[in-house]
């Protein structure tokens, strides 16, 4: 296959974007009164309005052509069929198998993995029900009241996001806390006020070697034993593990009967619907968890089967590439108008940037185009009183994804109409702005006119769903997962490894003894790092 920038559609897009850039959305809408109805797509219950993008039908046609020329169809089929598309780690990439219905067949190395997936789901369900009903007792015979998930990265961000997003459905007499950071205060705060006799720790770690998680798990064990009189037998009643590494789990002292497994074909950032979601399942109950999986699966099927022109994740992925590569847009803002989605942007940051923050192709050659933009965001309306100023009048072009729901989970007076009026107003303001003539017509003094002009022509997508249910959350996450996949395929990069996180980890291992050594260690770093180590050793209080 030709390099991306040599493909005919890329060349055509390079020429085409020169024609699009001077066009204002005001003109595009004026020229086509049906644009707002036409440039929409509904799939699996999610409605996407992409009309407020700086595109024409020709743009979409060329982007779709680029997808074809990039072999997207074959890559999708390869992923769904269990091919080892994570070539730098020689692994299949099968998060879609985690939500495949019972009876489906997905082969990895000739073995159908779907029955194993359902066996783990059943085991999780039985355990979740025991904790939820009070049947699972702690070491002193008391039921569990507090569930603390210990994990980091993919073993934390998904569970935290899902718990926050679906808190409305959670069992309210259970307390859920999440510890991720190796900063000891994270652990201290997460266990603040908890009774060890009523606390269950879920140690979530695919490898069971991650420094942060193991450090926190050791502190949790010490905290528990301190609280329960020191009998090591207590560990079995208060610790369960989610991991692929049975040996390490058992070494830690957790009975492997209380271990919930997953597989090397589940990437960390694609694992919230595996056993890594155990805390979510305890919070929501097995039925809600399975409904969430069904939502994921509906989007998977749409992605797999829908023609590209009607394919939600494909279209969103292509639009992201359009701005990143042809408009030099460096970021994408994700702006959910749903407070429960407050951790969704943080979750997406890992999904998007750890996946596509790459600068070499699958073949190991440096890319000569931009890859993943920076994702960021906060829920509306809060962001409107903060960083939206820059999106409206700053010098950066920031494509926005607005996410809104037609119905509140628990309607409260006029709140929801007011909330929705705001999200609609923001995309309108960004697209159409306000001209100097309009500002002057309001009687604004000449000196102030330039300050009050809104240039507009700032692109956005609006995703509208019925209400934030477990099923809809599954669809939303799968939508972004597959949009990220689409981008990765077009950029010819591997979205499923993360070698970029290794160097810092290794250097930290070398620095730890240099900070802890009682004698003055011989430092061989650069002069800045050496000096900072010396400073730290001088400044820190004796422990
Ligand atoms: C995600 C990454 C990374 C991983 C964490 C935790 O895709 O691989 O964020 O999830 O480093 O790893 P463990 O689950 O092995 O502790």
């Amino acid at each position: 296959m030709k390099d991306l920038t040599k493909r005919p559609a890329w060349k055509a897009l390079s020429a085409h974007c020169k024609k699009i850039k001077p066009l204002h959305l005001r003109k595009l809408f004026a020229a086509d009164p049906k644009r707002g109805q036409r440039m929409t797509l509904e799939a699996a219950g999610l409605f996407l309005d992409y009309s407020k993008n700086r595109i024409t039908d020709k743009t979409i046609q060329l982007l779709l052509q680029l997808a074809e020329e990039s072999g997207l169809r074959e890559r999708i089929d390869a992923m769904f069929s269990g091919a080892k598309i994570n070539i730098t780690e020689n692994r299949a990439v099968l998060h879609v198998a985690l939500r495949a219905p019972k009876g489906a067949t997905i082969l990895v190395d000739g073995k159908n993995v779907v029955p194993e997936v359902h066996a783990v789901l059943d085991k999780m369900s039985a355990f979740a029900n025991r904790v939820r009903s009070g049947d699972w007792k702690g070491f002193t015979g008391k039921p569990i009241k507090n569930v603390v998930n210990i994990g980091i990265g993919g073993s934390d961000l998904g569970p935290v996001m899902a718990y926050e997003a679906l808190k409305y459905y959670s069992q309210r007499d259970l307390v859920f806390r999440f510890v991720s950071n190796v900063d000891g205060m994270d652990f201290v705060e997460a266990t603040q006020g908890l009774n060890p006799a009523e606390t269950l720790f879920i140690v979530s770690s695919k490898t069971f070697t991650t420094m942060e998680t193991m450090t926190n798990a050791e502190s949790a064990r010490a905290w528990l034993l301190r609280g329960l009189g020191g009998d090591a037998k207590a560990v079995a009643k208060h610790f369960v593990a989610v991991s692929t590494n049975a040996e390490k789990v058992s070494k830690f002292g957790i009975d492997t009967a209380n271990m919930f497994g997953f597989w090397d074909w589940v990437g960390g950032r694609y694992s919230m619907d595996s056993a890594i979601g155990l805390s979510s399942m305890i919070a929501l109950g097995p039925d809600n968890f399975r409904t969430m999986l069904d939502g994921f699966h509906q989007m998977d099927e749409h992605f797999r089967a829908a023609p590209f022109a009607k394919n939600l994740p494909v279209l969103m992925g292509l639009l992201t590439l359009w701005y990143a590569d042809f408009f030099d847009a460096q970021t994408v803002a994700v702006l959910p108008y749903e407070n429960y989605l407050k951790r969704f942007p943080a979750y997406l940051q890992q999904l998007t940037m750890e996946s596509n923050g790459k600068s070499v192709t699958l073949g190991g050659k440096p890319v000569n185009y931009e890859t993943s933009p920076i994702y960021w965001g906060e829920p509306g309306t809060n962001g409107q009183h903060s960083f939206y100023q820059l999106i409206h009048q700053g010098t950066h072009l920031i494509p926005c994804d607005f996410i809104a729901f037609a119905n509140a989970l628990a309607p409260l007076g006029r709140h929801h109409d007011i909330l929705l009026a705001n999200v609609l107003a923001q995309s309108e303001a960004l697209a159409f702005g306000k001209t100097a003539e309009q500002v002057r017509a309001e009687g604004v003094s000449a000196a102030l006119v330039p300050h009050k002009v809104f240039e507009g022509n700032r692109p956005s997508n609006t995703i509208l769903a019925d209400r934030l249910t477990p099923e809809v959350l599954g669809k939303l996450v799968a939508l972004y997962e597959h949009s990220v996949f689409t981008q990765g395929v077009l950029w010819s990069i591997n979205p499923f490894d993360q070698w970029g996180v290794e160097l810092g980890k290794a250097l930290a291992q070398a620095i730890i003894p240099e900070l802890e050594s009682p004698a003055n260690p011989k430092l061989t770093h650069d002069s800045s790092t050496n000096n900072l180590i010396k400073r730290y050793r001088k400044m820190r209080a004796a422990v």
Side-chain angles (χ1 to χ4, degrees):
M1 183 178 305
K2 283 191 176 137
D3 287 353
L4 176 58
T5 55
K6 305 229 165 76
R7 292 172 204 157
W10 180 279
K11 288 188 185 158
L13 280 162
S14 300
H16 172 74
C17 82
K18 295 200 181 79
K19 289 191 201 138
I20 294 293
K21 278 184 181 162
L23 286 179
H24 199 288
L25 281 166
R26 282 180 209 129
K27 275 212 175 120
L28 290 170
F29 270 84
D32 174 6
K34 290 235 156 64
R35 182 179 169 102
Q37 285 116 286
R38 226 164 38 77
M39 288 191 166
T40 62
L41 192 55
E42 193 162 7
L46 299 186
F47 177 79
L48 170 70
D49 177 346
Y50 61 96
S51 63
K52 294 191 184 90
N53 279 292
R54 292 174 65 176
I55 54 171
T56 60
D57 292 336
K58 178 82 181 162
T59 320
I60 294 292
Q61 182 210 316
L62 290 174
L63 287 168
L64 291 169
Q65 188 189 324
L66 186 65
E68 299 289 352
E69 288 173 8
S70 306
L72 179 60
R73 174 62 60 207
E74 297 87 83
R75 302 300 292 163
I76 293 173
D77 291 344
M79 174 169 73
F80 276 81
S81 71
K84 296 196 173 162
I85 60 169
N86 176 358
I87 55 163
T88 60
E89 296 178 309
N90 192 31
R91 287 178 184 162
V93 174
L94 272 182
H95 39 282
V96 294
L98 298 170
R99 50 262 191 159
K102 238 182 197 147
T105 302
I106 300 177
L107 302 177
V108 178
D109 293 328
K111 186 174 166 217
N112 184 10
V113 296
V114 178
E116 288 177 54
V117 166
H118 282 271
V120 173
L121 278 173
D122 291 345
K123 183 172 168 181
M124 288 165 66
S125 303
F127 179 73
N129 281 333
R130 287 190 68 190
V131 174
R132 286 165 65 83
S133 67
D135 178 47
W136 179 277
K137 301 282 193 297
F139 187 59
T140 64
K142 290 191 167 176
I144 297 301
K145 286 265 175 323
N146 318 302
V147 178
V148 182
N149 186 73
I150 300 178
I152 195 164
S155 301
D156 169 72
L157 288 160
V160 174
M161 183 279 286
Y163 172 67
E164 291 294 341
L166 301 174
K167 198 185 246 174
Y168 178 75
Y169 305 87
S170 69
Q171 185 166 319
R172 299 293 180 143
D173 60 354
L174 290 174
V175 170
F176 289 85
R177 305 238 176 118
F178 298 85
V179 186
S180 52
N181 204 324
V182 76
D183 180 342
M185 294 319 290
D186 198 18
F187 180 82
V188 169
E189 286 297 335
T191 47
Q192 185 66 40
L194 303 188
N195 177 357
E198 300 175 332
T199 301
L200 174 76
F201 290 98
I202 304 177
V203 186
S204 297
S205 176
K206 181 172 168 181
T207 53
F208 231 72
T209 56
T210 305
M211 178 264 295
E212 290 89 341
T213 302
M214 290 304 110
T215 308
N216 279 316
E218 295 292 351
S219 296
R221 182 165 51 187
W223 176 87
L224 181 94
L225 293 181
R226 229 176 13 250
L228 294 183
D231 188 339
K233 286 207 282 298
V235 171
K237 295 283 173 204
H238 294 270
F239 278 81
V240 297
V242 178
S243 187
T244 56
N245 192 339
E247 198 190 317
K248 288 257 170 3
V249 167
S250 132
K251 239 191 198 154
F252 182 86
I254 297 176
D255 186 350
T256 46
N258 299 326
M259 167 177 154
F260 301 86
F262 59 117
W263 306 271
D264 75 350
W265 41 262
V266 184
R269 54 192 171 277
Y270 297 88
S271 68
M272 62 169 275
D273 44 354
S274 71
I276 289 291
L278 184 61
S279 58
S280 321
M281 193 195 261
I282 298 173
L284 306 174
D287 289 350
N288 277 324
F289 192 84
R290 285 173 195 256
T291 313
M292 180 179 82
L293 296 186
D294 183 50
F296 271 101
H297 179 66
Q298 288 178 51
M299 188 53 74
D300 293 344
E301 281 305 290
H302 165 72
F303 179 56
R304 195 181 58 76
F308 291 163
K310 301 254 171 267
N311 196 310
L312 220 50
V314 169
L315 208 58
M316 283 191 62
L318 292 174
L319 287 168
T320 305
L321 176 142
W322 172 238
Y323 294 116
D325 289 318
F326 295 97
F327 283 74
D328 298 323
Q330 300 209 332
T331 83
V332 172
V334 179
L335 308 165
Y337 277 64
E338 169 54 81
N339 213 50
Y340 281 120
L341 287 181
K342 61 175 176 245
R343 294 287 298 177
F344 193 62
Y347 171 79
L348 281 188
Q349 286 187 323
Q350 186 194 23
L351 179 65
T352 56
M353 295 197 273
E354 204 175 43
S355 295
N356 285 339
K358 309 286 162 67
S359 50
V360 292
T361 63
L362 289 165
K365 283 204 269 173
V367 298
N368 57 350
Y369 39 83
E370 299 296 336
T371 59
S372 180
I374 298 153
Y375 277 75
W376 59 287
E378 282 285 324
T381 57
N382 296 10
Q384 292 176 201
H385 299 262
S386 163
F387 53 79
Y388 277 39
Q389 165 63 36
L390 183 150
I391 309 181
H392 283 288
Q393 286 189 317
T395 52
H396 298 277
L397 180 79
I398 302 182
C400 299
D401 285 353
F402 291 103
I403 302 174
F405 298 87
N407 294 289
L409 293 179
L412 179 65
R414 297 172 56 224
H415 283 251
H416 202 68
D417 285 342
I418 296 172
L419 177 70
L420 266 283
N422 272 280
V423 66
L424 301 180
Q426 288 301 324
S427 65
E428 186 180 21
L430 286 170
F432 302 105
K434 199 177 198 184
T435 61
E437 295 77 72
Q438 287 171 307
V439 177
R440 269 193 292 272
E442 288 171 356
V444 171
S445 70
L448 269 186
V449 168
H451 298 275
K452 295 199 159 192
V453 165
F454 286 68
E455 182 192 25
N457 216 15
R458 294 168 190 231
S460 66
N461 290 314
T462 299
I463 298 170
L464 188 61
D466 178 20
R467 70 181 72 225
L468 181 55
T469 59
E471 185 181 337
V472 165
L473 183 71
K475 291 175 187 176
L476 263 182
V477 173
L479 168 62
Y480 279 94
E481 284 177 349
H482 299 319
S483 162
V484 163
F485 179 80
T486 300
Q487 294 161 43
V489 169
L490 269 75
W491 287 322
S492 303
I493 56 178
N494 181 2
F496 301 111
D497 61 12
Q498 57 283 320
W499 300 107
V501 303
E502 295 304 326
L503 178 58
K505 279 192 206 168
L507 294 181
Q509 285 305 332
I511 293 176
I512 292 169
E514 295 172 346
L515 302 185
E516 290 185 329
S517 139
N520 259 352
K522 189 171 169 332
L523 300 174
T524 54
H525 305 271
D526 59 278
S527 62
S528 160
T529 310
N530 285 347
N531 192 44
L532 288 166
I533 291 174
K534 282 188 206 143
R535 277 260 151 186
Y536 171 76
R537 287 180 58 94
K538 235 192 244 163
M539 287 170 75
R540 76 165 164 202
V543 260

